[in-house]
Amino acid sequence: MPNNSIQLDDNGKLQHFLSIEGLNQAILYEILDTADSFTSVTDRTIKKVPILRGKTVANLFFEASTRTRSTFELAEQRLSADILSLNVDTSATIKGESLLDTLQNLEAMQIDMFVIRHQDSGSAHFFAQHVRPGVSVLNAGDGQHEHPTQAMLDMYTIRHHKQDFSSLRVAIVGDILHSRVARSQIHALNLLNTAEVRVIAPRTLLPMDTESLGVSVYENLEQGLEGVDVIIMLRLQKERMRGALLPSEKEYFRKFGLSQERLQLAKPDAIVMHPGPANRGVEIESSVMDGDQSVILQQVSFGISVRMAVMSMIVGQSGLQSGGDA
Amino acid sequence: MSLQIKNGQVVNPLEMTVAKTDLFLQDGKIVGLGSAPKNFKAEQTIDAADQWVLPGLIDCQARLRDPGEPEKANIESETKAAIENGITSLCIPPDTQPPIDNSATVELIHHRNEMFGHQAQVYPIGALTRGLGGEQLSNMASLRDNGCIAFSNAKIPLANNLVQRRAMDYAGGQQSLVIIQPIDHDLLANGCAHEGAVATRLGLPAIPEAAETAALAKDIELVAQTGARTHFGQLSSARSVDMVRRAKAKGLPITADCAIHQLFLTDHDIGNFDSNMFTIPPLRSQYDRDALREGVADGTIDCLCSDHQPHEVDAKLKPFPSAEPGISGLDTLLPLTLRLVEEGVLPLAELIAKLTLNPTTIMGLPGGRMGIDEVADLIIVDPESHWICSASSFVSKGKNTPFEGWDFHGSVTHTLVAGNIVYKAR
């Protein structure tokens, strides 16, 4: 096992949030419980608490993002942070400035926390290893490695509907090979003692030794959906067709698309999730996406409280107890 | 100039012996083993009691980054690193900038080594194709006349199998050695870690074994077709070892080496994205590592090399997939070899043969032998000296090592090139 202790300080508290792997069950539950306390804030008319007042958060997105970036920004605003958002693909790095120079220039502006998305697996660890002491890094997606806040909002959504993980069968369907979301979800589900984690995909979209992640592997959707409590559909990127990984969207939908009919194979009260953005008619049928069992839009709103929770834990405050009113 | 090395344990890779023997050197050559020739009078004597005396090491794959990449290293810095670490000869692949595809570059390298070098022999490997472009043959005959010891396209792909077949025919026709690092570039793609559980967990773009073995199978078939004497460089996988073993058993004119770090590290050492563990070919599984060690032990793998690739700090100061691959290996070649002896892979003399006798035989170079009239490229090693590997004390300009903090035994006390002491440890 790698040493992920860079995420935790000597007292076992979060100082960076880079990957689910390397965390423990207690921290995951603390995130979920803290997020609970913020869900009430987001329901209030005045949605702000002063936990990050006086702190500056920089959102560094080296890759495009709508949902993740906007929910991070909302979470930061609701925690009263000062915010600096940069789309770095249009900024200095293409002019030849190195990643570290970009980071250090921003550090010189007294940034307290970086929220970073970058196309290289391992970039979040890299940044965390090179920031000044006291500065925190939150991984908003690093290559094909992890997307830990997405996984935590998914866990939050599952707990909201299903309570106890230890009796659940969860199926993750789609492009496991390229998915940082799937890797984070698998680690989180296993840390939370989920009864069974299944991944369902054609072989070209499965990495080598997928089982070693702690999952059972299905190459047939019908078999994999049998009796599951939670179905998580992953987005299929169009470029997978070009890389000879799949013949066509049509054939993919025929074999791996979630239809009403296939949904019947799961438990009657199964929930359907998707980290977005979804391709209707490619991985998921519209009627399922908009149907009663879909919790996809809830995922998005829970995303704000979960990100507030992680950020507040990093600055050393768990929830609202010490945050006061605003 | 005459010199006697007395009381040393002389390692003889040809006889496969280690025995206390006095050595007598004159005019750059070994003139006596055990007993002095008539009228020999030593102007200088080295007492090598409790020390090993070895032929100077020959590193059959080391990049000195010269010409072209002075920010990484140069001939001066890297020959100094070689000499201080017991390496008296360096074979350098043709992917310098500009590439070694013309006589002027060969001469430039020799000239720089004479002007700025620290007495190590530098042997250029010529480009197999013009500009390493993979399409037109280089002027191999002229390059050979100017001192290229073999021909290779380094890690750069050839345009197609027909070019490869003709290049091998042409090189074979002039009795030149062809060196191939088997890589299928389609299968390599943008990969940066061995395809297995570690890459899966870390989400690193993966390199399948077939990126090496599919190319190797084709290369072996082209050796069978052309009869060109071919050396396979830096093998990394168990299946490759097996394929080379079988091809050799069929009598094909094949030899092979592996980079010494592959005998120690596996993909698990990537840990938390340690970019010093990024190599091409990648660090593979424990199973592959063990099979490579078996290949070393049974002779399938003839030579060990450093696959030295010094980098400036910035080249590695990046997220894993964006970092530049390679290890600075000159400073660790000998201690790692001695560690293989400690770990029982092979006895001392047989392992040392893979860094002396075997590469000189395969590449057709002087040195590497302990015998009368052989060139007196020798090193003296204190086997008891204990040290801890630290990049900051590397002689090489490249500090990119995955062996930081490792415990090593054995260090060089003297290096002699052509009978002259060119390095003496303080």
Side-chain angles (χ1 to χ4, degrees):
Chain A
M1 286 294 288
N3 171 20
N4 269 314
S5 64
I6 186 172
Q7 298 196 85
L8 305 177
D9 66 15
D10 294 340
N11 303 316
K13 293 283 177 194
L14 271 187
Q15 52 183 359
H16 301 289
F17 191 61
L18 311 175
S19 58
I20 301 292
E21 196 194 8
L23 299 180
N24 54 53
Q25 195 187 57
I27 287 199
L28 299 201
Y29 274 121
E30 192 185 343
I31 294 170
L32 298 179
D33 294 341
T34 309
D36 259 340
S37 72
F38 285 122
T39 303
S40 60
V41 174
T42 52
D43 290 341
R44 291 199 301 224
T45 358
I46 297 168
K47 298 186 170 63
K48 281 203 175 188
V49 291
I51 291 177
L52 291 185
R53 185 186 285 161
K55 305 264 184 194
T56 309
V57 181
N59 299 305
L60 244 70
F61 280 70
F62 294 86
E63 258 185 11
S65 157
T66 323
R67 186 168 330 230
T68 301
R69 187 176 149 178
S70 34
T71 49
F72 261 113
E73 285 176 2
L74 278 176
E76 291 151 11
Q77 283 164 6
R78 288 177 189 180
L79 292 170
S80 313
D82 296 321
I83 302 171
L84 178 68
S85 284
L86 289 176
N87 264 339
V88 195
D89 55 329
T90 56
S91 166
T93 43
I94 44 174
K95 293 177 200 144
E97 186 177 271
S98 83
L99 279 182
L100 269 191
D101 287 337
T102 306
L103 191 75
Q104 281 158 0
N105 274 294
L106 287 166
E107 269 189 328
M109 301 174 201
Q110 315 301 327
I111 304 288
D112 299 289
M113 198 184 287
F114 287 97
V115 174
I116 304 181
R117 168 172 289 189
H118 189 277
Q119 59 277 11
D120 279 342
S121 299
S123 51
H125 279 84
F126 174 77
F127 287 118
Q129 282 157 0
H130 292 99
V131 289
R132 284 200 295 242
V135 176
S136 297
V137 174
L138 259 86
N139 184 5
D142 64 324
Q144 301 163 12
H145 176 224
E146 288 221 32
H147 190 353
T149 56
Q150 175 70 43
M152 288 317 295
L153 72 89
D154 295 333
M155 297 308 111
Y156 188 89
T157 310
I158 293 172
R159 188 170 79 157
H160 182 82
H161 290 277
K162 299 288 175 193
Q163 286 84 42
D164 183 21
F165 285 89
S166 65
S167 59
L168 295 184
R169 286 202 164 82
V170 179
I172 305 172
V173 186
D175 186 357
I176 310 294
L177 176 63
H178 299 93
S179 178
R180 54 192 172 211
V181 175
R183 282 175 179 78
S184 287
Q185 288 167 338
I186 290 167
H187 289 307
L189 288 164
N190 282 326
L191 274 178
L192 295 169
N193 287 330
T194 307
E196 190 190 2
V197 185
R198 299 176 179 177
V199 301
I200 308 171
R203 194 169 295 182
T204 47
L205 298 181
L206 287 168
M208 184 69 90
D209 297 336
T210 309
E211 292 86 350
S212 67
L213 295 171
V215 296
S216 26
V217 174
Y218 290 80
E219 293 182 43
N220 175 297
L221 182 62
E222 281 84 2
Q223 287 168 11
L225 289 181
E226 199 82 53
V228 300
D229 302 276
V230 177
I231 304 169
I232 303 175
M233 302 303 295
L234 299 174
R235 173 182 168 78
L236 186 77
Q237 309 268 358
K238 307 260 183 203
E239 69 239 34
R240 304 301 169 225
M241 264 41 86
R242 288 200 297 275
L245 286 159
L246 291 174
S248 67
E249 289 179 9
K250 221 181 224 173
E251 177 154 313
Y252 183 78
F253 183 68
R254 215 171 276 151
K255 287 289 165 193
F256 292 93
L258 187 61
S259 61
Q260 281 295 352
E261 201 186 349
R262 284 176 174 148
L263 183 53
Q264 307 306 314
L265 296 166
K267 290 236 184 94
D269 62 346
I271 54 170
V272 175
M273 300 169 61
H274 194 302
N279 294 309
R280 290 169 185 259
V282 178
E283 68 258 5
I284 187 165
E285 204 172 73
S286 271
S287 62
V288 176
M289 195 162 157
D290 306 327
D292 294 340
Q293 287 166 268
S294 166
V295 297
I296 294 171
L297 291 177
Q298 263 181 340
Q299 286 175 268
V300 181
S301 31
F302 290 150
I304 302 169
S305 348
V306 166
R307 287 172 176 130
M308 287 170 79
V310 172
M311 287 191 276
S312 67
M313 283 167 64
I314 285 177
V315 297
Q317 295 191 25
S318 256
L320 290 173
Q321 297 87 332
S322 45
D325 274 332
Chain B
M1 175 70 187
S2 62
L3 193 150
Q4 178 183 0
I5 303 173
K6 64 176 188 184
N7 302 324
Q9 295 287 328
V10 170
V11 177
N12 186 327
L14 187 63
E15 310 285 340
M16 300 287 183
T17 54
V18 181
K20 191 169 164 183
T21 315
D22 284 0
L23 279 178
F24 303 90
L25 317 179
Q26 187 138 30
D27 301 327
K29 293 196 166 164
I30 301 172
V31 293
L33 276 154
S35 54
K38 268 184 193 163
N39 304 324
F40 182 89
K41 193 169 177 333
E43 291 164 47
Q44 204 176 348
T45 303
I46 300 173
D47 186 352
D50 303 321
Q51 304 200 330
W52 292 335
V53 185
L54 282 60
L57 307 184
I58 288 96
D59 190 345
C60 63
Q61 175 87 359
R63 286 177 170 80
L64 311 186
R65 309 296 197 190
D66 197 349
E69 294 176 285
E71 72 283 7
K72 295 188 187 294
N74 56 48
I75 285 173
E76 182 184 7
S77 66
E78 300 321 280
T79 53
K80 184 167 194 285
I83 288 300
E84 295 197 16
N85 288 291
I87 302 159
T88 51
S89 297
L90 297 155
C91 303
I92 59 170
D95 53 355
T96 48
Q97 294 171 17
I100 307 175
D101 71 341
N102 63 85
S103 302
T105 305
V106 177
E107 279 161 24
L108 175 72
I109 289 167
H110 285 310
H111 176 70
R112 286 205 182 156
N113 193 34
E114 276 161 34
M115 294 291 289
F116 311 114
H118 289 259
Q119 310 290 321
Q121 303 290 339
V122 170
Y123 296 109
I125 297 164
L128 199 58
T129 58
R130 198 168 290 185
L132 294 171
E135 292 184 343
Q136 279 177 283
L137 300 189
S138 67
N139 294 319
M140 282 187 242
S142 321
L143 285 166
R144 192 194 53 183
D145 293 344
N146 277 283
C148 285
I149 56 159
F151 294 92
S152 163
N153 226 55
K155 291 180 190 168
I156 298 159
L158 296 166
N160 56 54
N161 294 343
L162 182 61
V163 172
Q164 183 172 346
R165 186 256 162 104
R166 288 186 172 151
M168 289 172 76
D169 262 337
Y170 192 86
Q174 61 171 33
Q175 272 73 53
S176 282
L177 176 72
V178 176
I179 299 177
I180 296 176
Q181 184 168 359
I183 297 175
D184 182 309
H185 287 264
D186 297 325
L187 290 170
L188 176 70
N190 63 342
C192 61
H194 170 63
E195 187 171 74
V198 172
T200 292
R201 189 167 51 76
L202 296 177
L204 290 172
I207 304 174
E209 282 157 274
E212 179 166 293
T213 53
L216 181 60
K218 175 203 66 181
D219 297 334
I220 289 173
E221 277 307 303
L222 287 173
V223 175
Q225 181 71 52
T226 61
R229 203 160 57 83
T230 301
H231 178 80
F232 292 110
Q234 296 92 60
L235 299 183
S236 71
S237 83
R239 294 212 301 265
S240 297
V241 175
D242 190 47
M243 288 162 75
V244 168
R245 187 180 287 126
R246 281 185 284 128
K248 281 182 158 188
K250 281 188 216 156
L252 293 179
I254 283 173
T255 51
D257 72 61
C258 88
I260 197 150
H261 57 253
Q262 292 284 6
L263 301 175
F264 290 92
L265 305 173
T266 67
D267 55 352
H268 281 276
D269 292 301
I270 293 172
N272 262 335
F273 303 99
D274 181 352
S275 63
N276 279 322
M277 300 289 171
F278 179 17
T279 63
I280 300 282
L283 302 176
R284 294 199 183 270
S285 68
Q286 174 113 26
Y287 176 75
D288 294 300
R289 194 200 69 169
D290 293 348
L292 287 166
R293 284 185 170 212
E294 272 171 41
V296 168
D298 72 11
T300 303
I301 292 172
D302 303 271
C303 308
L304 299 174
C305 67
S306 68
D307 195 13
H308 181 59
Q309 295 177 52
H311 284 296
E312 76 281 21
V313 173
D314 285 343
K316 289 286 188 185
L317 207 50
K318 287 175 184 167
F320 193 94
S322 292
E324 291 181 50
I327 284 172
S328 177
L330 295 180
D331 284 81
T332 48
L333 181 61
L334 178 65
L336 287 171
T337 306
L338 298 180
R339 200 166 160 138
L340 289 175
V341 179
E342 278 175 44
E343 293 179 11
V345 174
L346 272 180
L348 178 64
E350 290 168 54
L351 259 172
I352 291 301
K354 295 183 189 290
L355 285 154
T356 53
L357 176 67
N358 296 358
T360 52
T361 306
I362 292 164
M363 312 278 164
L365 307 177
R369 291 171 172 79
M370 210 47 103
I372 305 291
D373 278 343
E374 296 292 344
V375 63
D377 290 355
L378 301 169
I379 60 174
I380 303 175
V381 173
D382 175 4
E384 295 304 320
S385 103
H386 170 243
W387 51 288
I388 291 170
C389 181
S390 160
S392 60
S393 51
F394 269 28
V395 187
S396 167
K397 196 158 184 266
K399 312 297 180 195
N400 46 305
T401 181
F403 297 108
E404 183 77 21
W406 281 46
D407 261 7
F408 287 134
H409 283 279
S411 57
V412 175
T413 63
H414 296 77
T415 302
L416 287 79
V417 170
N420 295 312
I421 300 170
V422 295
Y423 169 71
K424 187 168 180 292
R426 275 176 295 158

